[in-house]
Amino acid sequence: MKPVKVFLDESEIPKQWYNILADMPTPMSPPLHPGTGQPVGPDDLAPVFPMNLIEQEVSTERWIDIPEEVLEKYLLWRPTPLYRARNFEKLLDAPVRIYYKNEGVSPPGSHKPNTAIAQAYYNKAFGIKRLSTETGAGQWGSALSMACQMFGLECRVFMVRVSYDQKPFRGMMMNVWGANCFPSPSDKTEAGRKILAEHPDSPGSLGIAISEAIEDAVGDENARYSLGSVLNHVLLHQTINGLETQKQLKKIGVYPDVVIGCTGGGSNFAGLCLPFVRDKIHGKEISIVAAEPTSCPTMTRGPFAYDFGDTAQTTPLLAMHTLGHDFVPAPIHAGGLRYHGMAPIVSHLVKEQIMEARAYDQIQTFKAGVQWARTEGFISAPETNHAIAAVVQEAERAKEEGKEKVILFNWSGHGLVDLAAYDAYLSGKLHQYEMPEEEIARALQAIDGLPKP
Amino acid sequence: MKPVKVFLDESEIPKQWYNILADMPTPMSPPLHPGTGQPVGPDDLAPVFPMNLIEQEVSTERWIDIPEEVLEKYLLWRPTPLYRARNFEKLLDAPVRIYYKNEGVSPPGSHKPNTAIAQAYYNKAFGIKRLSTETGAGQWGSALSMACQMFGLECRVFMVRVSYDQKPFRGMMMNVWGANCFPSPSDKTEAGRKILAEHPDSPGSLGIAISEAIEDAVGDENARYSLGSVLNHVLLHQTINGLETQKQLKKIGVYPDVVIGCTGGGSNFAGLCLPFVRDKIHGKEISIVAAEPTSCPTMTRGPFAYDFGDTAQTTPLLAMHTLGHDFVPAPIHAGGLRYHGMAPIVSHLVKEQIMEARAYDQIQTFKAGVQWARTEGFISAPETNHAIAAVVQEAERAKEEGKEKVILFNWSGHGLVDLAAYDAYLSGKLHQYEMPEEEIARALQAIDGLPKP
């Protein structure tokens, strides 16, 4: 009987988050105010986020204490198990050991509550009564719904319409946790109505949904906006995952050669990887690979540039890899990976070649996901299948090179409410998709004239 | 930071199942051959089950070794965590401590793989190539699909039509694991065609689906039938759960006053409870409560009698609580609890007043389930909500009596693919349902003339 899981005792849960800003090897380009072109200050963000989270966003403290109230909620599912994927290894027949962190054991089934719980707590502590947010595949929206319920906050979720239609269960989940979920573009906001007037059949995008959620929040002094990825404080909260993983690996005396995660806005990937980035900055040899979809190739084909986080141009300008804030991706199923931008921290680390990005086609990712389900049992979220496709690629390379490797990846969530996507794949309804060059060029016109980092 | 979970190390997983037949205080009535009225022998069952499982079905050995190959697959998700439901306790504000075993962490999200893995292994070891089965809500069908895939067996699932329509995701899940799923009654079998000819709109029932699956299996010497509940060997495999729980409770020095589970065929309930029944037989004071739906009140309103396990009268006669083998329950959402009979072991223990049965209405169970999700986070299967309703009742009684109590229950599975049922509840589409007396009387005519236990 060979062991496959490494648990941590609840008492071993990390008590602090890790802030990569304390260890960045080169300075990051600051967010800019779109009007003045000057770096934004805390006051500029005050109508959008509570001040305690704004302070976290700009903090350069290396370790930030996790509040007791947040830890208590984390314990509902954390520490999550670290698994060895022995059956998948056998299938791949390559000289690799594959470890994965199972973030699917949380109530909504993904890594998202790591920051949802923290954000709900800090908003509550700041006296806020209501949060408004956007969601792609619905993992974020459902996580924030649960978190708001647990801290007694009202919650409104603007869900990208194509996902809202494809994944009705996510909206129902939000309702069970007491939130309201609207398809976006909606008629609830100026931003939504404007898009609907021009494109009544718009499938929506994260950029549009963000505009709606921000607009919905800033008009109400008791409300704030909440973002499920991209920002520094979100990535910070997710590091609980990488920190746990490091403790677990230490218990079994293993250190990875490659760390992999799928990337939409970058938070699950960063959550696992940033503590390993710290090791790398301090000299450790390790590859850190971000897996994105070919249908939304933010880092592999988008430039590193200043751009808005949303379509209505209401956010500060962020220095990041981007496909342009008007980008509306093809309606592929990995809804959580369909964002035009990428977390500034991740973008910066890719630019500095500390991390590496690769793109995978949806056919390739579902193939990997079905192989995974048939060996390891668990059915992965379509997003997570991008990471698994990267694992397969790494294993194939190891085999070719005849080199032993330890691969670690973030199993960011399960796909039990994404089964329609598997059904489409198994019945041959999905096709390969590569973004045409001219479409990328057209989308990038949106950043013409913006400042350069 | 108060602890909420108790883990077992993988090395602590029980290596044997517990067989209650070794400790039964009074003899059970044997299964009878419907033709001869005599107890069935192993040879009578040979076309239906492999001989190694038939031997297990009739074994009176107290401890039965779990094969290494089965343990290896169990480790994909076992040992499962034992939780303390502190947030739900706070909501109930009663002098109770509530512990629950989280069986929802398995790949299909329920306790069902505990026996699916074992049955697939034993069939494979016996040289069988294909399994055929029925499923209600789809939890069993998806678990067996996964297990067959892991042991290289083909799998066919007949799914009760009302659930097939209400829960399309379960069929998709079976496909991901490589199985074929048909709505039942189907045109694939004589039994199905006969029902369809008389009732083209039949919503189906577990009794009908069992008839179809048995017929599909016995015609093929390379195939066997597999049942996900009711039988002795199924309950045996599920005891891994109760045995783990006892180890976990021992670690924290706790022993329950009440043990609760929901009951359809009886397997998740028995899996948790039987090791505690053993303690009770040996003098321990403990209540053991089975929670069933008022729409299918097998134990609370059905007699203890000999009856067929299926509608087409192809199984041996089992001595059990039953509503009659023609019983077609109202299409409420807790599909897994809609079986006309009850495991003979559970029925016998209820008859002997070692266990107690109570019925709960669906409105009451969804109310409890939503309260649960909003405090503990996890969204329960509609079946599991019956157990939670019983927990609420126990807590209320403890409050009235001013008596401290430790409650343990089986959180048999999550409801992430059952969200349409929650949606129906939250939008006011569900109603209270009590089986009319005359309908029960009519259904029970089916057992007139059968032998009496």
Side-chain angles (χ1 to χ4, degrees):
Chain A
M1 230 178 66
K2 292 174 189 162
V4 299
K5 294 187 292 298
V6 187
F7 284 111
L8 290 181
D9 197 77
E10 292 187 347
S11 62
E12 296 172 288
I13 195 169
K15 309 290 188 301
Q16 298 178 308
W17 293 300
Y18 167 62
N19 184 3
I20 186 81
L21 294 190
D23 290 313
M24 272 294 182
T26 53
M28 287 177 64
S29 307
L32 302 182
H33 190 288
T36 65
Q38 294 301 308
V40 290
D43 289 347
D44 295 319
L45 297 171
V48 183
F49 299 109
M51 196 50 75
N52 47 12
L53 281 178
I54 294 172
E55 281 162 13
Q56 239 174 36
E57 179 69 16
V58 298
S59 169
T60 53
E61 289 290 314
R62 183 169 290 112
W63 299 102
I64 293 183
D65 289 344
I66 305 175
E68 192 72 14
E69 294 85 342
V70 172
L71 281 173
E72 247 175 41
K73 300 300 178 193
Y74 276 178
L75 289 189
L76 288 174
W77 74 97
R78 304 206 72 87
T80 61
L82 178 74
Y83 269 73
R84 175 143 176 215
R86 290 189 187 276
N87 296 301
F88 195 59
E89 286 174 13
K90 204 180 284 176
L91 177 80
L92 297 180
D93 189 28
V96 294
R97 278 178 289 161
I98 301 170
Y99 293 88
Y100 71 97
K101 184 72 165 165
N102 186 344
E103 289 288 289
V105 299
S106 79
S110 80
H111 64 289
K112 290 292 189 188
N114 296 334
T115 185
I117 292 289
Q119 292 191 45
Y121 165 76
Y122 283 112
N123 274 282
K124 177 76 175 184
F126 194 69
I128 299 305
K129 307 265 183 271
R130 177 167 77 77
L131 286 181
S132 193
T133 196
E134 79 296 327
T135 197
Q139 287 184 331
W140 167 243
S142 51
L144 191 68
S145 301
M146 179 186 80
C148 283
Q149 177 65 237
M150 286 179 175
F151 286 101
L153 297 174
E154 195 192 326
C155 182
R156 282 191 207 161
V157 182
F158 292 85
M159 183 167 181
V160 176
R161 179 175 291 276
V162 58
S163 295
Y164 184 91
D165 293 339
Q166 280 171 1
K167 306 185 176 185
F169 275 21
R170 281 285 172 193
M172 294 177 192
M173 211 184 286
M174 296 176 214
N175 295 337
V176 171
W177 283 314
N180 286 311
C181 175
F182 313 109
S184 164
S186 78
D187 59 5
K188 310 269 169 216
T189 66
E190 276 303 317
R193 286 189 291 270
K194 196 168 156 233
I195 303 268
L196 283 176
E198 288 171 34
H199 308 284
D201 297 330
S202 167
S205 71
L206 276 172
I208 296 169
I210 292 173
S211 298
E212 290 208 273
I214 293 178
E215 183 188 329
D216 182 59
V218 295
D220 176 352
E221 64 169 325
N222 288 316
R224 288 294 184 281
Y225 167 69
S226 169
L227 187 63
S229 193
V230 179
L231 297 179
N232 299 351
H233 68 274
V234 179
L235 275 54
L236 173 80
H237 301 153
Q238 291 292 351
T239 60
I240 179 89
N241 188 22
L243 295 168
E244 278 182 15
T245 305
Q246 289 191 325
K247 282 191 176 191
Q248 286 164 312
L249 288 173
K250 203 170 169 192
K251 280 199 176 189
I252 52 171
V254 168
Y255 196 89
D257 299 297
V258 193
V259 189
I260 294 170
C262 63
T263 45
S267 79
N268 94 74
F269 170 68
L272 178 66
C273 295
L274 290 181
F276 293 95
V277 167
R278 182 177 185 225
D279 292 351
K280 187 166 184 171
I281 289 168
H282 289 91
K284 201 90 180 173
E285 237 181 87
I286 182 171
S287 301
I288 299 173
V289 179
E292 66 180 15
T294 54
S295 60
C296 189
T298 314
M299 289 180 286
T300 50
R301 298 177 67 190
F304 182 82
Y306 268 116
D307 194 8
F308 292 98
D310 71 325
T311 305
Q313 311 184 14
T314 47
T315 72
L317 290 168
L318 301 174
M320 61 181 177
H321 279 283
T322 179
L323 292 164
H325 55 267
D326 284 340
F327 180 76
V328 178
I332 66 155
H333 282 278
L337 305 184
R338 300 168 70 248
Y339 183 57
H340 70 273
M342 179 53 56
I345 285 175
V346 171
S347 297
H348 184 78
L349 290 165
V350 168
K351 181 172 72 73
E352 297 294 320
Q353 298 184 307
I354 291 168
M355 292 173 162
E356 174 192 347
R358 300 181 198 156
Y360 299 89
D361 181 81
Q362 63 176 347
I363 296 292
Q364 189 179 7
T365 64
F366 275 107
K367 186 181 167 210
V370 169
Q371 286 178 329
W372 179 268
R374 291 184 177 180
T375 49
E376 292 296 318
F378 295 102
I379 296 176
S380 325
E383 291 84 355
T384 311
N385 286 340
H386 290 70
I388 300 177
V391 170
V392 171
Q393 186 186 46
E394 279 297 325
E396 283 167 357
R397 285 187 189 177
K399 201 170 179 175
E400 280 165 25
E401 296 167 10
K403 227 169 112 182
E404 288 189 13
K405 257 187 211 170
V406 174
I407 303 172
L408 166 70
F409 81 99
N410 200 23
W411 199 78
S412 55
H414 66 64
L416 296 183
V417 287
D418 306 297
L419 283 158
Y422 278 90
D423 193 48
Y425 167 69
L426 289 171
S427 52
K429 283 177 202 146
L430 297 190
H431 51 274
Q432 286 209 324
Y433 187 82
E434 194 81 29
M435 278 287 296
E437 198 55 60
E438 57 281 10
E439 226 174 283
I440 290 185
R442 193 163 47 238
L444 284 175
Q445 289 172 8
I447 60 170
D448 282 354
L450 294 178
K452 302 285 170 223
Chain B
M1 226 178 69
K2 292 176 190 160
V4 299
K5 296 188 291 298
V6 187
F7 284 112
L8 290 181
D9 197 76
E10 294 189 345
S11 62
E12 296 173 287
I13 194 170
K15 309 293 188 299
Q16 298 178 309
W17 292 300
Y18 167 62
N19 185 2
I20 186 80
L21 294 191
D23 290 312
M24 272 295 181
T26 53
M28 287 176 63
S29 307
L32 302 182
H33 191 289
T36 64
Q38 295 302 306
V40 289
D43 289 348
D44 295 320
L45 298 172
V48 183
F49 299 110
M51 196 50 76
N52 46 13
L53 281 179
I54 294 171
E55 282 161 13
Q56 239 174 36
E57 179 68 17
V58 298
S59 169
T60 53
E61 288 290 315
R62 181 168 291 112
W63 298 102
I64 294 183
D65 289 343
I66 305 175
E68 192 73 14
E69 294 87 340
V70 171
L71 281 173
E72 248 174 41
K73 300 300 177 195
Y74 275 177
L75 289 189
L76 288 174
W77 73 96
R78 304 207 71 86
T80 61
L82 178 74
Y83 269 74
R84 174 139 177 219
R86 290 189 187 276
N87 296 300
F88 195 58
E89 286 174 13
K90 204 180 288 177
L91 177 79
L92 296 181
D93 189 27
V96 295
R97 278 178 289 162
I98 301 171
Y99 292 89
Y100 71 97
K101 183 73 165 165
N102 185 343
E103 289 288 290
V105 298
S106 79
S110 81
H111 64 289
K112 290 290 189 188
N114 296 335
T115 184
I117 292 288
Q119 291 191 44
Y121 165 77
Y122 284 112
N123 274 281
K124 177 76 174 185
F126 194 68
I128 299 304
K129 308 263 182 275
R130 178 168 76 77
L131 286 181
S132 193
T133 196
E134 80 295 327
T135 197
Q139 287 185 331
W140 166 243
S142 51
L144 192 68
S145 301
M146 180 187 80
C148 283
Q149 176 64 238
M150 287 180 173
F151 286 102
L153 298 174
E154 195 191 326
C155 183
R156 281 190 207 161
V157 182
F158 293 85
M159 183 167 181
V160 176
R161 179 175 292 274
V162 59
S163 294
Y164 185 91
D165 293 339
Q166 278 172 2
K167 306 186 177 186
F169 276 21
R170 281 285 171 193
M172 294 177 192
M173 212 185 286
M174 297 176 213
N175 295 336
V176 171
W177 284 314
N180 286 311
C181 176
F182 314 109
S184 165
S186 78
D187 59 4
K188 310 270 170 213
T189 66
E190 276 302 319
R193 286 188 293 268
K194 199 168 155 233
I195 304 269
L196 283 176
E198 287 171 36
H199 308 284
D201 297 329
S202 167
S205 71
L206 275 172
I208 296 170
I210 292 174
S211 297
E212 290 209 271
I214 293 178
E215 182 188 328
D216 182 59
V218 295
D220 177 351
E221 64 171 325
N222 288 317
R224 288 294 183 281
Y225 167 69
S226 171
L227 186 62
S229 192
V230 179
L231 298 179
N232 299 351
H233 68 274
V234 179
L235 274 54
L236 173 80
H237 301 152
Q238 291 292 352
T239 60
I240 180 89
N241 188 23
L243 295 169
E244 278 182 14
T245 305
Q246 289 191 325
K247 283 191 176 192
Q248 286 163 313
L249 287 173
K250 203 170 169 191
K251 281 198 177 193
I252 52 170
V254 169
Y255 196 89
D257 299 298
V258 193
V259 189
I260 294 170
C262 63
T263 45
S267 79
N268 94 74
F269 170 68
L272 177 66
C273 294
L274 290 181
F276 293 95
V277 168
R278 184 180 184 224
D279 292 350
K280 186 165 185 170
I281 289 168
H282 289 90
K284 200 89 180 173
E285 236 181 88
I286 181 171
S287 300
I288 299 173
V289 178
E292 65 180 14
T294 54
S295 59
C296 189
T298 313
M299 289 180 286
T300 49
R301 298 178 67 191
F304 182 82
Y306 268 116
D307 194 8
F308 293 98
D310 70 326
T311 305
Q313 312 184 13
T314 48
T315 72
L317 291 167
L318 300 174
M320 60 183 178
H321 278 283
T322 180
L323 293 164
H325 55 266
D326 284 340
F327 179 75
V328 177
I332 66 153
H333 282 280
L337 305 184
R338 300 168 71 249
Y339 184 57
H340 70 274
M342 180 51 57
I345 285 175
V346 171
S347 298
H348 184 79
L349 289 166
V350 168
K351 181 171 70 73
E352 297 294 322
Q353 297 182 305
I354 291 168
M355 293 172 162
E356 173 192 349
R358 300 181 198 156
Y360 299 90
D361 181 81
Q362 64 176 345
I363 296 293
Q364 189 179 7
T365 65
F366 275 107
K367 186 183 168 211
V370 169
Q371 286 179 328
W372 179 266
R374 290 184 179 181
T375 50
E376 292 297 317
F378 295 102
I379 296 176
S380 325
E383 292 83 353
T384 310
N385 286 341
H386 290 70
I388 300 176
V391 170
V392 172
Q393 188 187 46
E394 279 296 326
E396 284 167 356
R397 285 189 190 178
K399 202 169 178 176
E400 280 164 25
E401 296 167 12
K403 226 169 112 182
E404 288 191 13
K405 257 187 211 172
V406 174
I407 303 172
L408 166 70
F409 82 98
N410 200 24
W411 199 78
S412 55
H414 66 64
L416 296 184
V417 288
D418 305 298
L419 283 158
Y422 279 89
D423 194 47
Y425 167 69
L426 289 172
S427 52
K429 285 178 198 143
L430 297 190
H431 51 275
Q432 285 209 326
Y433 187 83
E434 194 80 27
M435 278 287 296
E437 198 55 61
E438 56 281 11
E439 226 175 284
I440 290 186
R442 194 163 48 239
L444 284 174
Q445 290 173 6
I447 59 170
D448 283 355
L450 294 178
K452 302 284 172 223

